[in-house]
Amino acid sequence: MAGIQISSVAKRFGAVAALNDVSLTVGQGEFIALVGPSGCGKTTLMRIVAGIESADAGRILVGGRDVTRSRAADRDIAMVFQSYALYPHLTVAQNIAVPLAMRRLSGADRLPLLGRFLPGAARRRAAIAQDVAAVARSLGLEAMLDRRPGQLSGGQRQRVALARAIIRRPAAFLMDEPLSNLDAALRVQTRREIVDIHRAAGVATLYVTHDQTEALTMADRVAVMMAGRILQVATPEEIYADPQDLRVATFIGSPRINTLAAEAGADGVVRLAGEAVGLVATPGPLTLALRPEDLWIAESGIAATAEAVEFLGESVLLHARHASGEPVILRLPPEAPRPRPGTALRLGFDPARALLFDAAGRRVAAHAPAERALV
Amino acid sequence: MSDAVLPLRRAAPIGEALAGLMLTAPAAIAYAVMLLLPTLAAVALAFTDYELGMPGFAWIGLDNFSELLADRGFAVSLRNTVIYVGIVTPLSIALGLGAALLIEAGIRGRALFRAVFFLPVVSLTVAMAAAWQYLLHPTIGPLNAALRRLGIADPPFWLSSSDWVLASLAAIGVWENLGYTMVLFLAGLTAIPRELYAAAQMDGARRAVDRFRLVTWPLLGPTTLFVVTITLIRSVRVFDTVAVLTQGGPNRASEVLLYTMYREGFTYLRLGYSAAITLVFLVIVLGLVWLQTKALDRKIHYG
């Protein structure tokens, strides 16, 4: 299978395990976003795939070829760095041409003056210049080919970095938070462009980010990573609606998913502060997790006190507090009545959308009980 | 309202200017007394026939300089200086860069090697010259002993042969300057972003020499320019090793610019003539500094 295959990779820095038996497959033409909080090991994993860092254990396959022991230059991978890593002394055109020059020209060809007079060098250089012009055109960089990176804006530098990555048609792209140095408006626009470039190239792309919005909007599949482990790999929809781990549920979604301590009794009925909530699960302590948009103000249900209201335009956030002291956030339509702070509320929810996690944070099945089990 | 404010405004600059003058005065006075006046005095002296101990002097215009042009000794001294600089500058820069690259790439003993190479810079040359005199001694020196053991029956008399003395002094000069250039290059190397090396690897720069050509050398540009000028100036200024080890000999083979100046001024007491040599030296150094600023403006900064 083509694309990138990462199998059982481990990496330690001294006593710290940065990566713990990480496996992930990026299919041919697939875009996977690797998302997680800073320090979770996602950049380390990317650098290991790139060949800049070596793994302590495990294997890396690119395009079906085992590259675990290959040097970065021999892996047929291109990478876009967070800092863009452009060569400051080269013009935009020269920067974009570097990957081709390194592969198509010999060391002697690249000598400053002598190189021009070697047989075939002129022809090879002309071919490179043509390729550079084509890539520059596709990214709208023609006007700045003779400038230096220092004379470009952040967005333009980012494009140059992208151009340098795509010019040699690698088997896979790696992108290390390429949007984190752009302002918010440009980020939204560039998100789309990167996805388009990925589609046009049709190669496996591994995209590292700490920004869940980027991950959800751009990726075919999202891999959530924490503390050196990949917790779940799934489509954005599944990651959001069907998280398999409490840490995934709390990391993805803004505002954060509401979590309430609950318990399933010996009869399996899930109770929140002693009140049955209309769910049945295996007995034991549980966490009940509910997205803000899955809660509403009802006649009966979870008892809470309203605290504050935030108007967001397309919706309103109601900050409330559960009787146990845990905060609860509701996303309400903007036209909904807004309770005054201090009002006692009852919150309803659809049991089918409620998520239950066991004491270890693993997702457990929640069933709607038979009619008579409802108290 | 403006009437009420204006006098205040007018008063403030005078007080500010005064404070400014008072605050800059110590530095300005020190600069004038220690640097500007002596330099001007030397320039003035260069146009006189003043000799130390003489009751008076006469303005002789450019006579000192025409004498310099005709002076065989000065020509030899200038030529020796150029040769010395021509050996010491490129060698201490190349070796300093090499040492810096090796230390930067090394895993162990970085601090140790840094200290070892930097030691000559902080040590007293006059004192170290004694060690060199012993090392290079024709009969009892370890260098010649080693050469003899290697089968060279008749090793050179390093400091007392007119063929070898300049090369020997240049070798000591390289030893003195190498640590300095190395430290400057080390500082320049740490300023190069690590990411660029990673990017170079991804871009296909397989060999270390490819990465050196693509990243290290161009990004060291500003450092190299500075190192070149500073090393040129430091080697033009060579004096102490010559004064201690050879006194310009044998037969003027190691006579360099500053030593000639010293000899004219303090042995023959011809201060006017000596000042003329100083002026030539000053012009060379200022020329180098001017070249550096020109090059800095022109190139090698990447904005």
Side-chain angles (χ1 to χ4, degrees):
Chain A
M1 173 171 175
I4 307 169
Q5 282 167 272
I6 302 164
S7 49
S8 314
V9 164
K11 176 78 179 172
R12 305 183 71 83
F13 293 113
V16 186
L19 295 174
N20 238 320
D21 191 29
V22 173
S23 295
L24 178 67
T25 299
V26 189
Q28 174 69 42
E30 193 182 21
F31 191 122
I32 287 199
L34 185 59
V35 63
S38 46
C40 72
K42 54 192 193 298
T43 296
T44 305
L45 180 61
M46 169 154 290
R47 293 172 73 88
I48 286 173
V49 174
I52 302 165
E53 203 102 52
S54 64
D56 297 341
R59 294 199 309 150
I60 309 284
L61 277 75
V62 174
R65 196 164 54 93
D66 190 333
V67 296
T68 316
R69 301 265 158 256
S70 308
R71 278 181 291 188
D74 300 323
R75 292 194 175 192
D76 202 14
I77 296 177
M79 180 158 169
V80 177
F81 291 84
Q82 184 172 8
S83 62
Y84 313 139
L86 301 176
Y87 307 110
H89 57 290
L90 300 180
T91 64
V92 168
Q94 289 167 330
N95 260 290
I96 301 175
V98 166
L100 296 184
M102 283 293 160
R103 281 174 173 75
R104 295 191 197 161
L105 300 179
S106 68
D109 282 352
R110 278 183 272 115
L111 285 178
L113 277 168
L114 184 70
R116 299 192 182 282
F117 304 106
L118 289 173
R123 187 165 35 79
R124 288 192 286 274
R125 279 182 188 278
I128 290 174
Q130 248 173 14
D131 289 3
V132 169
V135 169
R137 205 174 314 122
S138 73
L139 283 168
L141 290 168
E142 305 112 304
M144 47 201 83
L145 281 176
D146 293 326
R147 290 197 219 158
R148 294 251 164 82
Q151 299 163 290
L152 303 180
S153 70
Q156 291 167 335
R157 277 181 223 182
Q158 210 261 353
R159 270 160 203 276
V160 177
L162 278 172
R164 187 177 66 177
I166 63 178
I167 191 160
R168 61 166 224 262
R169 308 177 181 286
F173 285 141
L174 302 176
M175 304 199 186
D176 188 7
E177 311 225 7
L179 303 183
S180 60
N181 290 332
L182 301 181
D183 62 54
L186 200 55
R187 211 176 295 169
V188 174
Q189 182 197 336
T190 316
R191 240 159 44 192
R192 220 49 276 143
E193 286 174 0
I194 289 181
V195 173
D196 290 344
I197 287 171
H198 158 77
R199 297 249 182 285
V203 297
T205 300
L206 184 60
Y207 183 103
V208 161
T209 179
H210 67 272
D211 183 314
Q212 48 157 313
T213 317
E214 276 175 31
L216 295 176
T217 53
M218 297 170 79
D220 297 324
R221 287 195 296 158
V222 175
V224 181
M225 191 164 184
M226 267 176 220
R229 284 176 202 280
I230 291 183
L231 300 178
Q232 189 173 359
V233 187
T235 63
E237 292 79 5
E238 274 176 47
I239 285 278
Y240 186 79
D242 198 15
Q244 294 305 306
D245 191 294
L246 181 58
R247 289 171 289 172
V248 175
T250 52
F251 186 73
I252 300 288
S254 174
R256 215 178 86 116
I257 198 167
N258 297 299
T259 53
L260 297 165
E263 176 134 22
D267 53 356
V269 174
V270 178
R271 290 187 174 81
L272 190 66
E275 286 181 69
V277 294
L279 291 166
V280 173
T282 10
L286 294 168
T287 302
L288 171 66
L290 290 159
R291 296 277 177 207
E293 60 272 24
D294 293 335
L295 281 163
W296 58 80
I297 299 170
E299 295 300 310
S300 64
I302 304 167
T305 314
E307 285 191 336
V309 173
E310 284 173 6
F311 177 66
L312 294 182
E314 86 288 355
S315 64
V316 166
L317 293 184
L318 169 61
H319 293 256
R321 199 163 285 280
H322 180 241
S324 67
E326 290 159 306
V328 179
I329 299 176
L330 287 78
R331 191 189 288 277
L332 303 172
E335 67 280 2
R338 300 175 193 174
R340 290 172 172 287
T343 316
L345 303 169
R346 287 283 172 169
L347 308 178
F349 64 93
D350 177 0
R353 300 189 65 92
L355 307 172
L356 287 176
F357 299 90
D358 67 13
R362 278 186 303 268
R363 179 79 177 280
V364 294
H367 311 284
E371 220 27 62
R372 59 191 157 75
L374 270 169
V375 179
Chain B
M1 187 181 163
S2 64
D3 284 346
V5 173
L6 267 178
L8 270 175
R9 275 210 188 131
R10 243 183 243 132
I14 296 168
E16 256 175 50
L18 200 67
L21 280 176
M22 278 164 61
L23 286 169
T24 48
I29 290 170
Y31 175 76
V33 172
M34 312 293 283
L35 267 171
L36 201 58
L37 288 178
T39 310
L40 289 178
V43 171
L45 269 179
F47 299 95
T48 70
D49 66 352
Y50 182 65
E51 288 181 23
L52 206 61
M54 298 287 281
F57 63 86
W59 294 96
I60 52 168
L62 294 171
D63 282 5
N64 279 334
F65 295 95
S66 56
E67 191 187 338
L68 269 184
L69 283 178
D71 184 350
R72 279 281 302 138
F74 177 74
V76 167
S77 151
L78 199 60
R79 196 200 61 148
N80 285 344
T81 310
V82 169
I83 294 173
Y84 178 87
V85 171
I87 301 173
V88 169
T89 305
L91 272 185
S92 48
I93 289 172
L95 294 176
L97 178 60
L101 289 171
L102 287 176
I103 289 172
E104 179 76 6
I107 299 156
R108 281 166 198 283
R110 284 183 180 206
L112 174 73
F113 285 114
R114 248 194 326 243
V116 164
F117 282 108
F118 196 65
L119 213 55
V121 182
V122 290
S123 65
L124 198 63
T125 314
V126 175
M128 295 315 282
W132 279 104
Q133 192 147 37
Y134 165 68
L135 280 172
L136 299 177
H137 194 278
T139 49
I140 62 160
L143 179 63
N144 276 3
L147 285 176
R148 271 189 221 100
R149 190 154 297 181
L150 285 173
I152 298 167
D154 193 19
F157 286 17
W158 299 107
L159 292 171
S160 44
S161 130
S162 39
D163 293 335
W164 284 98
V165 65
L166 212 50
S168 307
L169 287 172
I172 299 173
V174 170
W175 172 82
E176 265 189 290
N177 279 305
L178 189 154
Y180 197 64
T181 58
M182 177 206 69
V183 163
L184 292 172
F185 277 124
L186 273 176
L189 284 175
T190 51
I192 299 177
R194 298 292 97 189
E195 292 275 85
L196 282 183
Y197 289 104
Q201 282 186 44
M202 303 292 302
D203 284 343
R206 276 182 191 76
R207 297 173 302 159
V209 59
D210 290 333
R211 290 193 290 277
F212 178 81
R213 275 171 60 184
L214 182 62
V215 179
T216 314
W217 181 246
L219 270 84
L220 276 182
T223 311
T224 309
L225 183 65
F226 177 72
V227 170
V228 168
T229 358
I230 208 87
T231 315
L232 279 173
I233 292 175
R234 278 170 64 98
S235 46
V236 173
R237 263 186 357 198
V238 61
F239 173 75
D240 38 14
T241 45
V242 175
V244 175
L245 291 173
T246 68
Q247 291 86 44
N251 194 21
R252 297 209 156 187
S254 64
E255 183 108 21
V256 290
L257 209 53
L258 284 198
Y259 192 76
T260 311
M261 181 212 87
Y262 165 78
R263 197 209 293 276
E264 292 295 340
F266 298 96
T267 310
Y268 307 143
L269 305 180
R270 301 178 60 201
L271 282 191
Y273 192 61
S274 158
I277 301 176
T278 312
L279 211 56
V280 171
F281 170 76
L282 204 66
V283 165
I284 294 174
V285 169
L286 287 178
L288 290 173
V289 172
W290 179 78
L291 272 181
Q292 187 205 13
T293 29
K294 273 285 144 194
L296 262 184
D297 282 348
R298 197 65 59 79
K299 253 189 164 188
I300 336 192
H301 54 102
Y302 307 126

